[in-house]
Amino acid sequence: MIIVAITGASGVVLGVKLLKALKKLNINTGLLISDTAKTIIDYELDISYENIIKIADEYYQTNDLTASVNSGSFKFDSLVIIPCSMKTLSAIANGYASNSITRVADVAFKERRKIIIVPRETPLRTVHIENMLSISKEGGIILPPILGYYSKIENLDDMENFIIGKVLDSLGINNDLYKRWELN
């Protein structure tokens, strides 16, 4: 199972696209959506968070620290936080597990499971970079949604697919969501 967490940063569409891509690949998913992400979903997307929940195989409330997903004995392969707010990034980097998203990240690190964080902020403060470095030192993958122009991106969908393809690559999942580098 891959846990997908959508936090309160712009770019919630990336979390939705990742869920859809994993569903298409028949990969079991668990979903966490922060309260702030629900507000941003209403603002940025033409789909309700209730309909996003239906895409996932399992859904966990972010304020329920008794949910099974918060335990190290709960089996999941990877966690992807997409998009990841700087608030969530800071909490994870500093071991502040105050909700299910930050607790699952805590579990992923202590159990040596794969964790991918797609931070959404620009420009970055020094403390943002330090928090990313802290997570990277623990083995987390920091995957900012930065475009690869070699893939000849033509529209927003291409841009988003490039990022989702890179996330899938980092998870070790074959995909053809973007044009790979080729020198002619």
Side-chain angles (χ1 to χ4, degrees), residues 31-33 35 38 53 59-65 67 69-70 99-101:
L31 176 63
L32 292 155
I33 302 175
D35 290 339
K38 292 174 185 176
I53 290 169
Y59 175 70
Y60 308 97
Q61 298 286 338
T62 57
N63 295 317
D64 181 7
L65 287 170
V69 72
N70 292 293
N99 63 41
S100 290
I101 294 172

Side-chain angles (χ1 to χ4, degrees), residues 33-46:
I33 302 175
S34 75
D35 290 339
T36 306
K38 292 174 185 176
T39 301
I40 294 173
I41 287 165
D42 286 342
Y43 183 78
E44 290 186 350
L45 302 180
D46 293 327

Side-chain angles (χ1 to χ4, degrees), residues 135-172:
I135 290 168
S136 180
K137 284 180 176 179
E138 280 197 78
I141 297 170
I142 306 296
L143 199 154
I146 297 172
L147 305 177
Y149 292 94
Y150 56 83
S151 62
K152 308 224 184 220
I153 291 169
E154 295 180 11
N155 54 47
L156 184 58
D157 195 52
D158 288 349
M159 289 184 228
E160 294 163 350
N161 285 338
F162 178 83
I163 300 305
I164 300 307
K166 296 298 275 185
V167 170
L168 293 174
D169 285 351
S170 293
L171 289 167

Side-chain angles (χ1 to χ4, degrees), residues 78-92:
S78 307
L79 167 65
V80 181
I81 304 175
I82 180 170
C84 185
S85 68
M86 291 300 109
K87 176 182 175 183
T88 300
L89 181 85
S90 176
I92 293 166

Side-chain angles (χ1 to χ4, degrees), residues 86 89 119 124 128-137 142:
M86 291 300 109
L89 181 85
L124 297 169
H128 298 152
I129 296 166
E130 288 170 345
N131 286 336
M132 287 184 221
L133 177 61
S134 174
I135 290 168
S136 180
K137 284 180 176 179
I142 306 296

